[in-house]
Amino acid sequence: MLAEKVEELSGENLYACYQCGKCSAGCPMAEMMDFLPNQVILLILRGDEGVIDSKTPWICAQCYQCGTRCPKNVDITKIMEALRAIKLRKNIDHLKINKLKKLPQIAVVSATRKYTG
Amino acid sequence: MKIAYYPGCTLKTDAKNFENATINLFKKLGVELIELKKWYCCGTVYSLTKDNLMYRLAAIRNLIKAKEEGYDKITTLCSICYNTLKQANEMARNDREAMDKINSFMEEEIDYDGSVEIIHPLEILKNMEDKIRENVKKPLNKKYASYYGCLLLRPKNIAIDEFENPSIMERMLEACGGKLINFPLKNECCGSYTVVEDKNAVVERCYRIISNAKINGADAIITSCPLCHFNLSEIQEEIKKCYTTFTGLPVLYFTEVMLEALEG
Ligand code: SF4
Ligand code: SF4
């Protein structure tokens, strides 16, 4: 079950969310996402595995804006990490190494942390 | 006064100017930053999966090193290092089960219990406001937008200031004579490490942030994070390709600007 897996990996209660949309309203990366943060929760609860292959978990910048503003204390940052982990742990990396150009260490190490298993 | 200092990877390379400016600024204010004799990369972004503690070992090991070298307090400049060390330390203080596992895994080290305190340079400077004022030789005469980004303010339990409306950086620059503009996007993320994967996402973020600072009258953006600095400055050429009327702003570290005022 996708919802159980995500809850286990993130430690968050998906059922606490009441779909107010506050997380998505404040998410700086929302316009680049195919599903908004609150929609991601809904899709997981519906058992829609497609959410794992969506752009959203990878475009999330782990900025913690969503979770700090959530009236129900749902930390979506952790839910995004759980979705990434499900894929990375199947040994499917997300990083396209050929895109690396002149970048500071901090960006490269962060990206390998978030995009490779 | 002496205080232990954890640099992290980028402060020794891309952001060497940030490290130098900070060490010199503190020296002028009578504080010596002493680099830990032994330290490792903290692993950058804090890992959030519940079941994988391996990713948190690097941060904990650094805190153990600080303790072994006799310190109960360390400072670190980079926002990502600050966030990661501080969150790992919160885990050490509050998650007994996780720490038992980590401590038993690291047989070679002393057990760690969260007793080292991580303090950001802005928090140290906050208590020296009068001294800063007294030492200003050439007051700053520009209008600044102080940009915090995400990791100094969130999650809430590690925030250096009010997470929705911080003012600590403004206060330091004001003490040096600078004028600060109202800047609603000061705590919005610049896109962080997604620059590696999706440059366009960061182009859009930084366009929004810089334009917002400009509309509000800033002459420069001030930051404390090497990754924010990279995104906000290096990406400006890319922004110009997408938005032809965009002109950009200089991006500086807070200690660079403060040192300028104190050196005269
Ligand atoms: S802010 Fe919280 S409660 Fe509202 S939609 Fe987002 S996760 Fe659900
Ligand atoms: S942590 Fe991710 S999902 Fe949450 S606000 Fe930031 S970018 Fe959006």
Side-chain angles (χ1 to χ4, degrees), chain B residues 201-220:
Chain B
V202 174
V203 166
E204 291 302 320
R205 289 309 88 222
C206 293
Y207 171 66
R208 215 170 108 88
I209 293 164
I210 299 167
S211 306
N212 186 262
K214 270 191 93 113
I215 286 167
N216 285 295
D219 301 316

Side-chain angles (χ1 to χ4, degrees), chain A residues 16-24 37-38 41 66 69-74 76:
Chain A
C17 166
Y18 60 18
Q19 291 294 321
C20 68
K22 207 173 172 189
C23 49
S24 305
N38 66 305
I41 295 184
C66 47
R69 288 183 178 169
C70 172
K72 301 283 294 198
N73 272 329
V74 181
I76 306 193

Side-chain angles (χ1 to χ4, degrees), chain B residues 116-171:
Chain B
V116 173
E117 197 191 332
I118 295 118
I119 179 165
H120 191 271
L122 279 166
E123 295 173 295
I124 305 172
L125 291 170
K126 184 176 75 177
N127 297 322
M128 307 176 85
E129 216 173 314
D130 291 339
K131 191 154 191 186
I132 294 168
R133 273 178 216 286
E134 283 161 23
N135 279 278
V136 172
K137 287 218 183 82
K138 193 176 116 221
L140 298 173
N141 56 7
K142 289 205 178 91
K143 283 189 263 171
Y144 300 99
S146 54
Y147 175 73
Y148 295 79
C150 44
L151 297 178
L152 292 182
L153 303 170
R154 298 188 292 269
K156 292 175 209 176
N157 63 334
I158 62 121
I160 60 163
D161 200 359
E162 273 183 57
F163 65 92
E164 287 290 14
N165 191 21
S167 60
I168 183 169
M169 215 187 309
E170 282 92 326
R171 288 219 303 278

Side-chain angles (χ1 to χ4, degrees), chain A residues 62-63 69 81 89 96, chain B residues 46 48 51 154 164 197:
Chain A
Q62 193 167 327
C63 78
R69 288 183 178 169
E81 180 99 324
R89 290 181 188 184
K96 299 173 197 82
Chain B
Y46 190 60
L48 298 170
D51 61 343
R154 298 188 292 269
E164 287 290 14
E197 232 277 317

Side-chain angles (χ1 to χ4, degrees), chain B residues 239-246:
Chain B
I239 300 177
K240 281 178 196 159
K241 287 182 200 160
C242 305
Y243 298 92
T244 43
T245 53
F246 178 82

Side-chain angles (χ1 to χ4, degrees), chain A residues 24-101:
Chain A
S24 305
C27 173
M29 308 304 275
E31 71 183 79
M32 265 75 67
M33 291 173 171
D34 41 7
F35 299 111
L36 297 172
N38 66 305
Q39 292 173 330
V40 163
I41 295 184
L42 209 53
L43 290 168
I44 301 168
L45 288 174
R46 283 188 192 153
D48 187 339
E49 301 269 341
V51 69
I52 303 169
D53 297 315
S54 77
K55 265 185 87 178
T56 299
W58 309 101
I59 201 74
C60 164
Q62 193 167 327
C63 78
Y64 302 96
Q65 186 74 278
C66 47
T68 50
R69 288 183 178 169
C70 172
K72 301 283 294 198
N73 272 329
V74 181
D75 193 342
I76 306 193
T77 320
K78 289 182 180 159
I79 295 168
M80 296 294 180
E81 180 99 324
L83 291 173
R84 287 188 293 263
I86 289 173
K87 199 149 183 186
L88 296 175
R89 290 181 188 184
K90 288 186 182 137
N91 203 16
I92 306 169
D93 288 346
H94 187 76
L95 188 63
K96 299 173 197 82
I97 298 284
N98 58 358
K99 278 199 176 175
L100 292 175
K101 290 203 192 86

